[in-house]
Amino acid sequence: MNSQWRLGIAIGLVVAVLAAAIYFPILKRRVKKQAQVQQKSEEQARLELVQSLNAATNEPKVKAQLFWAADAEYSDLVANTVELPLSNDPVLRSKQVLNTLLAGPVDSELRTLPPDAALLAFYILPDGTAVADFSDAMANSIPSGVQSEQFAVDSITRTLEANVPQVRRLRILIHGQAVETLAGHLDLTGTFPVSTKPVPPASAPAGVPATK
Amino acid sequence: MLDPAHGGTDPGARGSAGIREADIVLELTAQVRHGLESQGFQVLQTRSGNENPSFDDRSALANAQTGAIFVSLHVSSTGLSGTVRVYTMADMPLPSTTGGLIPWDQAQASYLPLSRKLGDTVQGELTQRFKGSPMNVQSAYVRQLRTTAAPAIAVELSSVAMEDKADLDRMLPGVADAIVRGIVTFRPSYVTPGMPGNAPGAKP
């Protein structure tokens, strides 16, 4: 190998090292920024919870029904009556009851949804199909199994049925994506039935006004 | 068709004592297989080792058989330890068939009545052996069952949360025996339109 070749290779190596030195901090910043965006979206969801609950503080309190496990063995789901200031708007009302469901019961053994899961988005299509988008923790932190996954979905659909009559069926997304199963068992490719009862007039949402 | 769930990179439910659903269901499959073969059934498995075929691949194996019965085996993370639950697919609308073809995504729909009959029979056998188990089959949106064109059930033991794997191992012979007896009881009622009087699953 002549000296010109050696010089060329040496220059090439120096250029490569310099390029790496310049690009590495940029790459590091991009990765950090991406992580912050993801964290922010979950933070936004939590902030929305607080805002949605605050937004409804002027609303009269109603007796909402939330469904958690009857016991630590998951023998059944039971309705728990909780007084909440719920909005009359079906989307906001759905977010309020689902966020309360996610917050969980006092006894953590009775919870049906992972404590670190967050509702990222919720909307209702004109035909009554609701779409609930949960954070990754909904799929990653839930105990795997037919029973536990079905309990999780049942607790969501029965809570919506009891409090938001406009919701007819539910589609669940995980972090904005359609996924095949919740945690290896339960089918998330379709919709879950919520209610087939007639929708009451807009001025009469579900929930019994709480007596003071 | 026996379906030991999970496998490969997917261990399924995992307990704090190191119990893995994918391993337990493979052991259970071997015991159920032995019992069914001794009753004259031809038995196939969706997996025999530590691999993880897709849901569709597993259903495709069953759907290629005539007169198959599909049993998917699971161990849960929850539930009263020492109990067993049987699931069938939740209600599905009956598919509109085109040229005799059934939509893949709704393959289970027309088999639901037979699946429930099979499920109740197997659950009855299990409840006799494992106190605290439900009296009747449960329905759930089990992904594996939806695309299976055969009477299909999922059997789920509780649970990987047991502190000693030996306790779970002791359940397996009873669970296997209950499944075999349930299938033997169900067999005469399994007559599909295309094969009147046949005894599906039996060797010719």
Side-chain angles (χ1 to χ4, degrees), chain A residues 48-59 85-88 92 96:
Chain A
E48 197 175 310
L49 160 64
V50 176
Q51 283 171 343
S52 66
L53 292 175
N54 286 342
T57 49
N58 293 332
E59 302 287 347
L86 293 182
S87 167
N88 281 338
L92 189 54
Q96 289 165 337

Side-chain angles (χ1 to χ4, degrees), chain A residues 72-74 143-148 150 180-181 183-189 191-193, chain B residues 6 12-13 21 55 74 76-80 85 87 89 139-143 146 156 158:
Chain A
E73 280 80 36
Y74 277 35
S144 176
V146 178
Q147 185 191 39
S148 50
Q150 186 66 54
E180 192 165 31
T181 66
H185 301 84
L186 210 74
D187 191 350
L188 290 192
T189 58
T191 58
F192 298 98
Chain B
H6 311 287
E21 179 182 9
F55 291 114
H74 300 263
S76 70
S77 306
T78 54
L80 182 65
R85 290 165 305 283
Y87 294 93
M89 182 64 191
S139 72
Y141 290 85
V142 183
R143 166 62 188 90
R146 181 168 56 83
E156 188 173 73
S158 284

Side-chain angles (χ1 to χ4, degrees), chain B residues 162-174:
Chain B
M162 283 184 175
E163 287 181 7
D164 188 353
K165 181 176 175 290
D167 292 336
L168 204 47
D169 288 340
R170 273 191 287 276
M171 289 178 71
L172 301 189

Side-chain angles (χ1 to χ4, degrees), chain B residues 12-34:
Chain B
R14 280 176 292 181
S16 54
I19 300 173
R20 287 161 38 104
E21 179 182 9
D23 301 335
I24 299 290
V25 292
L26 208 51
E27 291 172 34
L28 177 58
T29 297
Q31 296 189 25
V32 179
R33 179 176 190 139
H34 180 260

Side-chain angles (χ1 to χ4, degrees), chain B residues 33-42 180-181 184 187 202-203:
Chain B
R33 179 176 190 139
H34 180 260
L36 285 172
E37 285 178 340
S38 69
Q39 292 289 329
F41 286 89
Q42 180 186 354
V180 171
R181 283 176 185 269
V184 168
R187 185 174 171 175
K203 282 178 180 170

